[in-house]
Every structure is written in C-alpha cells, then in structure tokens.
PDB file of all heavy atoms in Angstrom:
ATOM      1  N   TYR C   1      -3.107   8.825   3.598  1.00  0.00           N
ATOM      2  CA  TYR C   1      -3.362   9.484   2.331  1.00  0.00           C
ATOM      3  C   TYR C   1      -2.296   9.116   1.311  1.00  0.00           C
ATOM      4  O   TYR C   1      -1.165   8.773   1.648  1.00  0.00           O
ATOM      5  CB  TYR C   1      -3.362  11.004   2.499  1.00  0.00           C
ATOM      6  CG  TYR C   1      -4.261  11.500   3.602  1.00  0.00           C
ATOM      7  CD1 TYR C   1      -3.768  11.710   4.887  1.00  0.00           C
ATOM      8  CD2 TYR C   1      -5.607  11.759   3.360  1.00  0.00           C
ATOM      9  CE1 TYR C   1      -4.587  12.166   5.899  1.00  0.00           C
ATOM     10  CE2 TYR C   1      -6.434  12.214   4.370  1.00  0.00           C
ATOM     11  CZ  TYR C   1      -5.920  12.419   5.634  1.00  0.00           C
ATOM     12  OH  TYR C   1      -6.741  12.873   6.639  1.00  0.00           O
ATOM     13  N   LEU C   2      -2.676   9.224   0.064  1.00  0.00           N
ATOM     14  CA  LEU C   2      -1.722   9.085  -1.026  1.00  0.00           C
ATOM     15  C   LEU C   2      -1.994  10.191  -2.034  1.00  0.00           C
ATOM     16  O   LEU C   2      -3.016  10.171  -2.721  1.00  0.00           O
ATOM     17  CB  LEU C   2      -1.825   7.716  -1.698  1.00  0.00           C
ATOM     18  CG  LEU C   2      -0.772   7.434  -2.769  1.00  0.00           C
ATOM     19  CD1 LEU C   2       0.611   7.295  -2.132  1.00  0.00           C
ATOM     20  CD2 LEU C   2      -1.121   6.177  -3.559  1.00  0.00           C
ATOM     21  N   GLN C   3      -1.087  11.139  -2.094  1.00  0.00           N
ATOM     22  CA  GLN C   3      -1.169  12.203  -3.073  1.00  0.00           C
ATOM     23  C   GLN C   3      -0.419  11.759  -4.322  1.00  0.00           C
ATOM     24  O   GLN C   3       0.769  11.452  -4.253  1.00  0.00           O
ATOM     25  CB  GLN C   3      -0.564  13.492  -2.525  1.00  0.00           C
ATOM     26  CG  GLN C   3      -0.509  14.642  -3.515  1.00  0.00           C
ATOM     27  CD  GLN C   3      -1.876  15.116  -3.939  1.00  0.00           C
ATOM     28  OE1 GLN C   3      -2.776  15.225  -3.110  1.00  0.00           O
ATOM     29  NE2 GLN C   3      -2.050  15.398  -5.213  1.00  0.00           N
ATOM     30  N   MET C   4      -1.106  11.735  -5.437  1.00  0.00           N
ATOM     31  CA  MET C   4      -0.535  11.264  -6.687  1.00  0.00           C
ATOM     32  C   MET C   4      -0.492  12.420  -7.681  1.00  0.00           C
ATOM     33  O   MET C   4      -1.530  12.953  -8.072  1.00  0.00           O
ATOM     34  CB  MET C   4      -1.352  10.104  -7.257  1.00  0.00           C
ATOM     35  CG  MET C   4      -1.507   8.942  -6.290  1.00  0.00           C
ATOM     36  SD  MET C   4      -2.335   7.510  -7.034  1.00  0.00           S
ATOM     37  CE  MET C   4      -3.962   8.201  -7.319  1.00  0.00           C
ATOM     38  N   ASP C   5       0.702  12.782  -8.077  1.00  0.00           N
ATOM     39  CA  ASP C   5       0.910  13.859  -9.033  1.00  0.00           C
ATOM     40  C   ASP C   5       1.599  13.326 -10.279  1.00  0.00           C
ATOM     41  O   ASP C   5       2.224  12.265 -10.255  1.00  0.00           O
ATOM     42  CB  ASP C   5       1.761  14.972  -8.418  1.00  0.00           C
ATOM     43  CG  ASP C   5       1.109  15.637  -7.233  1.00  0.00           C
ATOM     44  OD1 ASP C   5      -0.106  15.924  -7.297  1.00  0.00           O
ATOM     45  OD2 ASP C   5       1.816  15.880  -6.226  1.00  0.00           O
ATOM     46  N   ASN C   6       1.502  14.096 -11.346  1.00  0.00           N
ATOM     47  CA  ASN C   6       2.123  13.715 -12.613  1.00  0.00           C
ATOM     48  C   ASN C   6       1.775  12.278 -12.993  1.00  0.00           C
ATOM     49  O   ASN C   6       2.642  11.454 -13.292  1.00  0.00           O
ATOM     50  CB  ASN C   6       3.639  13.897 -12.527  1.00  0.00           C
ATOM     51  CG  ASN C   6       4.315  13.829 -13.882  1.00  0.00           C
ATOM     52  OD1 ASN C   6       3.695  14.066 -14.912  1.00  0.00           O
ATOM     53  ND2 ASN C   6       5.606  13.498 -13.885  1.00  0.00           N
ATOM     54  N   LEU C   7       0.502  11.999 -12.998  1.00  0.00           N
ATOM     55  CA  LEU C   7       0.039  10.647 -13.267  1.00  0.00           C
ATOM     56  C   LEU C   7       0.355  10.205 -14.687  1.00  0.00           C
ATOM     57  O   LEU C   7       0.358  11.008 -15.623  1.00  0.00           O
ATOM     58  CB  LEU C   7      -1.462  10.554 -13.021  1.00  0.00           C
ATOM     59  CG  LEU C   7      -1.869  10.542 -11.548  1.00  0.00           C
ATOM     60  CD1 LEU C   7      -3.347  10.883 -11.398  1.00  0.00           C
ATOM     61  CD2 LEU C   7      -1.573   9.178 -10.930  1.00  0.00           C
ATOM     62  N   LYS C   8       0.602   8.911 -14.813  1.00  0.00           N
ATOM     63  CA  LYS C   8       0.886   8.287 -16.087  1.00  0.00           C
ATOM     64  C   LYS C   8      -0.134   7.192 -16.354  1.00  0.00           C
ATOM     65  O   LYS C   8      -0.756   6.669 -15.426  1.00  0.00           O
ATOM     66  CB  LYS C   8       2.293   7.675 -16.089  1.00  0.00           C
ATOM     67  CG  LYS C   8       3.406   8.643 -15.753  1.00  0.00           C
ATOM     68  CD  LYS C   8       4.745   7.923 -15.690  1.00  0.00           C
ATOM     69  CE  LYS C   8       5.873   8.870 -15.345  1.00  0.00           C
ATOM     70  NZ  LYS C   8       7.175   8.163 -15.267  1.00  0.00           N
ATOM     71  N   ALA C   9      -0.279   6.835 -17.605  1.00  0.00           N
ATOM     72  CA  ALA C   9      -1.202   5.766 -17.959  1.00  0.00           C
ATOM     73  C   ALA C   9      -0.849   4.472 -17.237  1.00  0.00           C
ATOM     74  O   ALA C   9      -1.741   3.684 -16.884  1.00  0.00           O
ATOM     75  CB  ALA C   9      -1.207   5.546 -19.466  1.00  0.00           C
ATOM     76  N   GLU C  10       0.430   4.247 -16.990  1.00  0.00           N
ATOM     77  CA  GLU C  10       0.882   3.049 -16.305  1.00  0.00           C
ATOM     78  C   GLU C  10       0.440   2.988 -14.847  1.00  0.00           C
ATOM     79  O   GLU C  10       0.560   1.942 -14.208  1.00  0.00           O
ATOM     80  CB  GLU C  10       2.413   2.946 -16.359  1.00  0.00           C
ATOM     81  CG  GLU C  10       2.986   2.981 -17.765  1.00  0.00           C
ATOM     82  CD  GLU C  10       3.308   4.398 -18.206  1.00  0.00           C
ATOM     83  OE1 GLU C  10       4.442   4.852 -17.962  1.00  0.00           O
ATOM     84  OE2 GLU C  10       2.421   5.048 -18.802  1.00  0.00           O
ATOM     85  N   ASP C  11      -0.052   4.097 -14.314  1.00  0.00           N
ATOM     86  CA  ASP C  11      -0.547   4.119 -12.944  1.00  0.00           C
ATOM     87  C   ASP C  11      -1.961   3.566 -12.824  1.00  0.00           C
ATOM     88  O   ASP C  11      -2.468   3.422 -11.709  1.00  0.00           O
ATOM     89  CB  ASP C  11      -0.521   5.545 -12.389  1.00  0.00           C
ATOM     90  CG  ASP C  11       0.885   6.107 -12.289  1.00  0.00           C
ATOM     91  OD1 ASP C  11       1.801   5.358 -11.893  1.00  0.00           O
ATOM     92  OD2 ASP C  11       1.060   7.303 -12.597  1.00  0.00           O
ATOM     93  N   THR C  12      -2.589   3.285 -13.936  1.00  0.00           N
ATOM     94  CA  THR C  12      -3.942   2.747 -13.921  1.00  0.00           C
ATOM     95  C   THR C  12      -3.966   1.398 -13.205  1.00  0.00           C
ATOM     96  O   THR C  12      -3.259   0.471 -13.585  1.00  0.00           O
ATOM     97  CB  THR C  12      -4.479   2.595 -15.346  1.00  0.00           C
ATOM     98  OG1 THR C  12      -4.584   3.884 -15.957  1.00  0.00           O
ATOM     99  CG2 THR C  12      -5.854   1.946 -15.345  1.00  0.00           C
ATOM    100  N   ALA C  13      -4.785   1.304 -12.170  1.00  0.00           N
ATOM    101  CA  ALA C  13      -4.856   0.093 -11.357  1.00  0.00           C
ATOM    102  C   ALA C  13      -5.899   0.296 -10.273  1.00  0.00           C
ATOM    103  O   ALA C  13      -6.408   1.397 -10.072  1.00  0.00           O
ATOM    104  CB  ALA C  13      -3.499  -0.215 -10.722  1.00  0.00           C
ATOM    105  N   VAL C  14      -6.191  -0.786  -9.574  1.00  0.00           N
ATOM    106  CA  VAL C  14      -6.941  -0.691  -8.337  1.00  0.00           C
ATOM    107  C   VAL C  14      -5.946  -0.454  -7.211  1.00  0.00           C
ATOM    108  O   VAL C  14      -4.966  -1.187  -7.076  1.00  0.00           O
ATOM    109  CB  VAL C  14      -7.764  -1.960  -8.064  1.00  0.00           C
ATOM    110  CG1 VAL C  14      -8.482  -1.855  -6.718  1.00  0.00           C
ATOM    111  CG2 VAL C  14      -8.777  -2.185  -9.176  1.00  0.00           C
ATOM    112  N   TYR C  15      -6.198   0.555  -6.423  1.00  0.00           N
ATOM    113  CA  TYR C  15      -5.301   0.922  -5.338  1.00  0.00           C
ATOM    114  C   TYR C  15      -5.880   0.476  -4.003  1.00  0.00           C
ATOM    115  O   TYR C  15      -7.044   0.744  -3.694  1.00  0.00           O
ATOM    116  CB  TYR C  15      -5.059   2.430  -5.323  1.00  0.00           C
ATOM    117  CG  TYR C  15      -4.095   2.873  -6.391  1.00  0.00           C
ATOM    118  CD1 TYR C  15      -4.455   2.828  -7.735  1.00  0.00           C
ATOM    119  CD2 TYR C  15      -2.816   3.321  -6.062  1.00  0.00           C
ATOM    120  CE1 TYR C  15      -3.561   3.201  -8.723  1.00  0.00           C
ATOM    121  CE2 TYR C  15      -1.925   3.706  -7.045  1.00  0.00           C
ATOM    122  CZ  TYR C  15      -2.302   3.647  -8.374  1.00  0.00           C
ATOM    123  OH  TYR C  15      -1.411   4.031  -9.347  1.00  0.00           O
ATOM    124  N   TYR C  16      -5.054  -0.183  -3.212  1.00  0.00           N
ATOM    125  CA  TYR C  16      -5.454  -0.709  -1.923  1.00  0.00           C
ATOM    126  C   TYR C  16      -4.619  -0.101  -0.810  1.00  0.00           C
ATOM    127  O   TYR C  16      -3.411   0.063  -0.956  1.00  0.00           O
ATOM    128  CB  TYR C  16      -5.253  -2.228  -1.864  1.00  0.00           C
ATOM    129  CG  TYR C  16      -6.020  -3.017  -2.887  1.00  0.00           C
ATOM    130  CD1 TYR C  16      -5.464  -3.309  -4.127  1.00  0.00           C
ATOM    131  CD2 TYR C  16      -7.298  -3.489  -2.605  1.00  0.00           C
ATOM    132  CE1 TYR C  16      -6.159  -4.042  -5.062  1.00  0.00           C
ATOM    133  CE2 TYR C  16      -7.995  -4.227  -3.536  1.00  0.00           C
ATOM    134  CZ  TYR C  16      -7.424  -4.500  -4.761  1.00  0.00           C
ATOM    135  OH  TYR C  16      -8.117  -5.236  -5.684  1.00  0.00           O
ATOM    136  N   CYS C  17      -5.255   0.197   0.300  1.00  0.00           N
ATOM    137  CA  CYS C  17      -4.496   0.539   1.485  1.00  0.00           C
ATOM    138  C   CYS C  17      -4.473  -0.663   2.413  1.00  0.00           C
ATOM    139  O   CYS C  17      -5.343  -1.535   2.362  1.00  0.00           O
ATOM    140  CB  CYS C  17      -5.055   1.779   2.198  1.00  0.00           C
ATOM    141  SG  CYS C  17      -6.691   1.579   2.940  1.00  0.00           S
ATOM    142  N   ALA C  18      -3.456  -0.720   3.251  1.00  0.00           N
ATOM    143  CA  ALA C  18      -3.269  -1.855   4.133  1.00  0.00           C
ATOM    144  C   ALA C  18      -2.603  -1.413   5.422  1.00  0.00           C
ATOM    145  O   ALA C  18      -1.912  -0.392   5.461  1.00  0.00           O
ATOM    146  CB  ALA C  18      -2.423  -2.929   3.444  1.00  0.00           C
ATOM    147  N   ALA C  19      -2.805  -2.198   6.465  1.00  0.00           N
ATOM    148  CA  ALA C  19      -2.211  -1.935   7.769  1.00  0.00           C
ATOM    149  C   ALA C  19      -1.414  -3.148   8.224  1.00  0.00           C
ATOM    150  O   ALA C  19      -1.887  -4.282   8.111  1.00  0.00           O
ATOM    151  CB  ALA C  19      -3.297  -1.600   8.791  1.00  0.00           C
ATOM    152  N   ARG C  20      -0.225  -2.893   8.741  1.00  0.00           N
ATOM    153  CA  ARG C  20       0.671  -3.946   9.196  1.00  0.00           C
ATOM    154  C   ARG C  20       1.120  -3.612  10.607  1.00  0.00           C
ATOM    155  O   ARG C  20       1.657  -2.529  10.843  1.00  0.00           O
ATOM    156  CB  ARG C  20       1.862  -4.064   8.250  1.00  0.00           C
ATOM    157  CG  ARG C  20       2.749  -5.296   8.462  1.00  0.00           C
ATOM    158  CD  ARG C  20       3.975  -4.959   9.262  1.00  0.00           C
ATOM    159  NE  ARG C  20       5.010  -5.976   9.141  1.00  0.00           N
ATOM    160  CZ  ARG C  20       5.103  -7.056   9.906  1.00  0.00           C
ATOM    161  NH1 ARG C  20       4.198  -7.281  10.862  1.00  0.00           N
ATOM    162  NH2 ARG C  20       6.098  -7.920   9.728  1.00  0.00           N
ATOM    163  N   TYR C  21       0.916  -4.566  11.516  1.00  0.00           N
ATOM    164  CA  TYR C  21       1.212  -4.290  12.905  1.00  0.00           C
ATOM    165  C   TYR C  21       2.678  -3.953  13.136  1.00  0.00           C
ATOM    166  O   TYR C  21       3.567  -4.702  12.735  1.00  0.00           O
ATOM    167  CB  TYR C  21       0.823  -5.477  13.787  1.00  0.00           C
ATOM    168  CG  TYR C  21       1.075  -5.237  15.255  1.00  0.00           C
ATOM    169  CD1 TYR C  21       0.327  -4.291  15.954  1.00  0.00           C
ATOM    170  CD2 TYR C  21       2.065  -5.928  15.935  1.00  0.00           C
ATOM    171  CE1 TYR C  21       0.557  -4.053  17.295  1.00  0.00           C
ATOM    172  CE2 TYR C  21       2.296  -5.696  17.281  1.00  0.00           C
ATOM    173  CZ  TYR C  21       1.545  -4.754  17.955  1.00  0.00           C
ATOM    174  OH  TYR C  21       1.773  -4.524  19.288  1.00  0.00           O
ATOM    175  N   TYR C  22       2.907  -2.836  13.741  1.00  0.00           N
ATOM    176  CA  TYR C  22       4.149  -2.336  14.302  1.00  0.00           C
ATOM    177  C   TYR C  22       5.220  -1.979  13.268  1.00  0.00           C
ATOM    178  O   TYR C  22       5.691  -0.850  13.225  1.00  0.00           O
ATOM    179  CB  TYR C  22       4.728  -3.317  15.324  1.00  0.00           C
ATOM    180  CG  TYR C  22       5.465  -2.617  16.440  1.00  0.00           C
ATOM    181  CD1 TYR C  22       4.766  -2.043  17.494  1.00  0.00           C
ATOM    182  CD2 TYR C  22       6.848  -2.523  16.428  1.00  0.00           C
ATOM    183  CE1 TYR C  22       5.430  -1.388  18.513  1.00  0.00           C
ATOM    184  CE2 TYR C  22       7.521  -1.866  17.454  1.00  0.00           C
ATOM    185  CZ  TYR C  22       6.809  -1.304  18.490  1.00  0.00           C
ATOM    186  OH  TYR C  22       7.466  -0.647  19.496  1.00  0.00           O
ATOM    187  N   TYR C  23       5.618  -2.928  12.429  1.00  0.00           N
ATOM    188  CA  TYR C  23       6.732  -2.707  11.506  1.00  0.00           C
ATOM    189  C   TYR C  23       6.260  -2.476  10.086  1.00  0.00           C
ATOM    190  O   TYR C  23       5.366  -3.147   9.593  1.00  0.00           O
ATOM    191  CB  TYR C  23       7.693  -3.896  11.525  1.00  0.00           C
ATOM    192  CG  TYR C  23       8.317  -4.154  12.863  1.00  0.00           C
ATOM    193  CD1 TYR C  23       7.970  -5.278  13.603  1.00  0.00           C
ATOM    194  CD2 TYR C  23       9.247  -3.276  13.394  1.00  0.00           C
ATOM    195  CE1 TYR C  23       8.546  -5.518  14.837  1.00  0.00           C
ATOM    196  CE2 TYR C  23       9.823  -3.509  14.636  1.00  0.00           C
ATOM    197  CZ  TYR C  23       9.468  -4.629  15.345  1.00  0.00           C
ATOM    198  OH  TYR C  23      10.044  -4.867  16.565  1.00  0.00           O
ATOM    199  N   SER C  24       6.917  -1.557   9.431  1.00  0.00           N
ATOM    200  CA  SER C  24       6.628  -1.289   8.033  1.00  0.00           C
ATOM    201  C   SER C  24       7.174  -2.408   7.153  1.00  0.00           C
ATOM    202  O   SER C  24       8.116  -3.102   7.515  1.00  0.00           O
ATOM    203  CB  SER C  24       7.236   0.057   7.626  1.00  0.00           C
ATOM    204  OG  SER C  24       6.932   0.370   6.286  1.00  0.00           O
ATOM    205  N   SER C  25       6.589  -2.566   5.981  1.00  0.00           N
ATOM    206  CA  SER C  25       7.013  -3.607   5.061  1.00  0.00           C
ATOM    207  C   SER C  25       6.615  -3.232   3.643  1.00  0.00           C
ATOM    208  O   SER C  25       5.642  -2.509   3.429  1.00  0.00           O
ATOM    209  CB  SER C  25       6.383  -4.951   5.439  1.00  0.00           C
ATOM    210  OG  SER C  25       6.707  -5.952   4.496  1.00  0.00           O
ATOM    211  N   THR C  26       7.367  -3.745   2.678  1.00  0.00           N
ATOM    212  CA  THR C  26       7.030  -3.594   1.270  1.00  0.00           C
ATOM    213  C   THR C  26       6.384  -4.855   0.708  1.00  0.00           C
ATOM    214  O   THR C  26       6.050  -4.900  -0.474  1.00  0.00           O
ATOM    215  CB  THR C  26       8.278  -3.259   0.436  1.00  0.00           C
ATOM    216  OG1 THR C  26       9.236  -4.317   0.548  1.00  0.00           O
ATOM    217  CG2 THR C  26       8.921  -1.963   0.914  1.00  0.00           C
ATOM    218  N   ASP C  27       6.200  -5.845   1.539  1.00  0.00           N
ATOM    219  CA  ASP C  27       5.665  -7.140   1.132  1.00  0.00           C
ATOM    220  C   ASP C  27       4.197  -7.232   1.525  1.00  0.00           C
ATOM    221  O   ASP C  27       3.867  -7.167   2.714  1.00  0.00           O
ATOM    222  CB  ASP C  27       6.464  -8.259   1.788  1.00  0.00           C
ATOM    223  CG  ASP C  27       6.095  -9.635   1.291  1.00  0.00           C
ATOM    224  OD1 ASP C  27       5.036  -9.800   0.657  1.00  0.00           O
ATOM    225  OD2 ASP C  27       6.867 -10.585   1.546  1.00  0.00           O
ATOM    226  N   TRP C  28       3.332  -7.410   0.540  1.00  0.00           N
ATOM    227  CA  TRP C  28       1.899  -7.448   0.836  1.00  0.00           C
ATOM    228  C   TRP C  28       1.514  -8.585   1.769  1.00  0.00           C
ATOM    229  O   TRP C  28       0.517  -8.484   2.501  1.00  0.00           O
ATOM    230  CB  TRP C  28       1.081  -7.538  -0.459  1.00  0.00           C
ATOM    231  CG  TRP C  28       1.250  -8.820  -1.230  1.00  0.00           C
ATOM    232  CD1 TRP C  28       2.162  -9.060  -2.219  1.00  0.00           C
ATOM    233  CD2 TRP C  28       0.477 -10.006  -1.082  1.00  0.00           C
ATOM    234  NE1 TRP C  28       1.995 -10.341  -2.695  1.00  0.00           N
ATOM    235  CE2 TRP C  28       0.973 -10.944  -2.019  1.00  0.00           C
ATOM    236  CE3 TRP C  28      -0.589 -10.375  -0.252  1.00  0.00           C
ATOM    237  CZ2 TRP C  28       0.437 -12.231  -2.141  1.00  0.00           C
ATOM    238  CZ3 TRP C  28      -1.125 -11.660  -0.368  1.00  0.00           C
ATOM    239  CH2 TRP C  28      -0.606 -12.557  -1.305  1.00  0.00           C
ATOM    240  N   ASN C  29       2.303  -9.655   1.783  1.00  0.00           N
ATOM    241  CA  ASN C  29       2.013 -10.782   2.660  1.00  0.00           C
ATOM    242  C   ASN C  29       2.137 -10.428   4.135  1.00  0.00           C
ATOM    243  O   ASN C  29       1.596 -11.138   4.987  1.00  0.00           O
ATOM    244  CB  ASN C  29       2.945 -11.950   2.347  1.00  0.00           C
ATOM    245  CG  ASN C  29       2.664 -12.575   1.005  1.00  0.00           C
ATOM    246  OD1 ASN C  29       1.678 -13.286   0.840  1.00  0.00           O
ATOM    247  ND2 ASN C  29       3.537 -12.311   0.036  1.00  0.00           N
ATOM    248  N   ASP C  30       2.835  -9.361   4.444  1.00  0.00           N
ATOM    249  CA  ASP C  30       3.062  -8.980   5.830  1.00  0.00           C
ATOM    250  C   ASP C  30       1.916  -8.180   6.433  1.00  0.00           C
ATOM    251  O   ASP C  30       1.887  -7.973   7.645  1.00  0.00           O
ATOM    252  CB  ASP C  30       4.347  -8.165   5.954  1.00  0.00           C
ATOM    253  CG  ASP C  30       5.597  -8.983   5.714  1.00  0.00           C
ATOM    254  OD1 ASP C  30       5.549 -10.218   5.867  1.00  0.00           O
ATOM    255  OD2 ASP C  30       6.629  -8.377   5.372  1.00  0.00           O
ATOM    256  N   TYR C  31       1.006  -7.730   5.617  1.00  0.00           N
ATOM    257  CA  TYR C  31      -0.035  -6.833   6.102  1.00  0.00           C
ATOM    258  C   TYR C  31      -1.234  -7.584   6.664  1.00  0.00           C
ATOM    259  O   TYR C  31      -1.611  -8.646   6.164  1.00  0.00           O
ATOM    260  CB  TYR C  31      -0.449  -5.861   5.000  1.00  0.00           C
ATOM    261  CG  TYR C  31       0.578  -4.772   4.819  1.00  0.00           C
ATOM    262  CD1 TYR C  31       1.744  -5.006   4.115  1.00  0.00           C
ATOM    263  CD2 TYR C  31       0.392  -3.520   5.395  1.00  0.00           C
ATOM    264  CE1 TYR C  31       2.710  -4.021   3.982  1.00  0.00           C
ATOM    265  CE2 TYR C  31       1.345  -2.530   5.261  1.00  0.00           C
ATOM    266  CZ  TYR C  31       2.507  -2.788   4.550  1.00  0.00           C
ATOM    267  OH  TYR C  31       3.462  -1.801   4.417  1.00  0.00           O
ATOM    268  N   ASP C  32      -1.821  -7.002   7.687  1.00  0.00           N
ATOM    269  CA  ASP C  32      -2.877  -7.659   8.451  1.00  0.00           C
ATOM    270  C   ASP C  32      -4.288  -7.262   8.023  1.00  0.00           C
ATOM    271  O   ASP C  32      -5.217  -8.065   8.130  1.00  0.00           O
ATOM    272  CB  ASP C  32      -2.707  -7.334   9.936  1.00  0.00           C
ATOM    273  CG  ASP C  32      -1.348  -7.721  10.468  1.00  0.00           C
ATOM    274  OD1 ASP C  32      -1.008  -8.920  10.395  1.00  0.00           O
ATOM    275  OD2 ASP C  32      -0.621  -6.826  10.960  1.00  0.00           O
ATOM    276  N   TYR C  33      -4.451  -6.043   7.564  1.00  0.00           N
ATOM    277  CA  TYR C  33      -5.760  -5.542   7.180  1.00  0.00           C
ATOM    278  C   TYR C  33      -5.686  -4.883   5.818  1.00  0.00           C
ATOM    279  O   TYR C  33      -4.698  -4.225   5.487  1.00  0.00           O
ATOM    280  CB  TYR C  33      -6.285  -4.532   8.210  1.00  0.00           C
ATOM    281  CG  TYR C  33      -6.469  -5.104   9.584  1.00  0.00           C
ATOM    282  CD1 TYR C  33      -5.494  -4.944  10.557  1.00  0.00           C
ATOM    283  CD2 TYR C  33      -7.626  -5.810   9.909  1.00  0.00           C
ATOM    284  CE1 TYR C  33      -5.660  -5.480  11.822  1.00  0.00           C
ATOM    285  CE2 TYR C  33      -7.793  -6.348  11.170  1.00  0.00           C
ATOM    286  CZ  TYR C  33      -6.810  -6.176  12.124  1.00  0.00           C
ATOM    287  OH  TYR C  33      -6.986  -6.711  13.374  1.00  0.00           O
ATOM    288  N   TRP C  34      -6.757  -5.036   5.057  1.00  0.00           N
ATOM    289  CA  TRP C  34      -6.835  -4.507   3.695  1.00  0.00           C
ATOM    290  C   TRP C  34      -8.167  -3.838   3.438  1.00  0.00           C
ATOM    291  O   TRP C  34      -9.205  -4.281   3.932  1.00  0.00           O
ATOM    292  CB  TRP C  34      -6.644  -5.629   2.677  1.00  0.00           C
ATOM    293  CG  TRP C  34      -5.256  -6.171   2.633  1.00  0.00           C
ATOM    294  CD1 TRP C  34      -4.737  -7.163   3.401  1.00  0.00           C
ATOM    295  CD2 TRP C  34      -4.213  -5.737   1.763  1.00  0.00           C
ATOM    296  NE1 TRP C  34      -3.425  -7.385   3.067  1.00  0.00           N
ATOM    297  CE2 TRP C  34      -3.079  -6.524   2.062  1.00  0.00           C
ATOM    298  CE3 TRP C  34      -4.126  -4.773   0.758  1.00  0.00           C
ATOM    299  CZ2 TRP C  34      -1.870  -6.362   1.386  1.00  0.00           C
ATOM    300  CZ3 TRP C  34      -2.924  -4.606   0.090  1.00  0.00           C
ATOM    301  CH2 TRP C  34      -1.815  -5.404   0.412  1.00  0.00           C
TER     302      TRP C  34
END
C-alpha cells in the first residue's frame, strides 16, 4: 500500500508498484516485476 497525504500538484504522475527479489532498492533497474 501507499498512503498519500497532503498531496501536491507536483505529485501528479503515473504510479507504479514493483517487486525486487530479496533486497530492497531505490533503483528501478533492480526490480523484477512491475
């Protein structure tokens, strides 16, 4: 889940969830499923 509060106009975008095996990452290239 992603709870989004105090939204701003700059938050406008397409939001994607992703899964990355075992280790967390901030790099989209590391994720296996989208």
Side-chain angles (χ1 to χ4, degrees):
Y1 308 93
L2 185 68
Q3 176 65 42
M4 304 186 294
D5 297 317
N6 193 23
L7 286 162
K8 304 176 180 179
E10 304 91 90
D11 296 319
T12 296
V14 177
Y15 283 69
Y16 300 90
C17 67
R20 191 261 197 273
Y21 182 68
Y22 213 80
Y23 299 110
S24 182
S25 176
T26 61
D27 187 344
W28 66 269
N29 291 286
D30 290 338
Y31 284 79
D32 304 300
Y33 299 97
W34 290 87

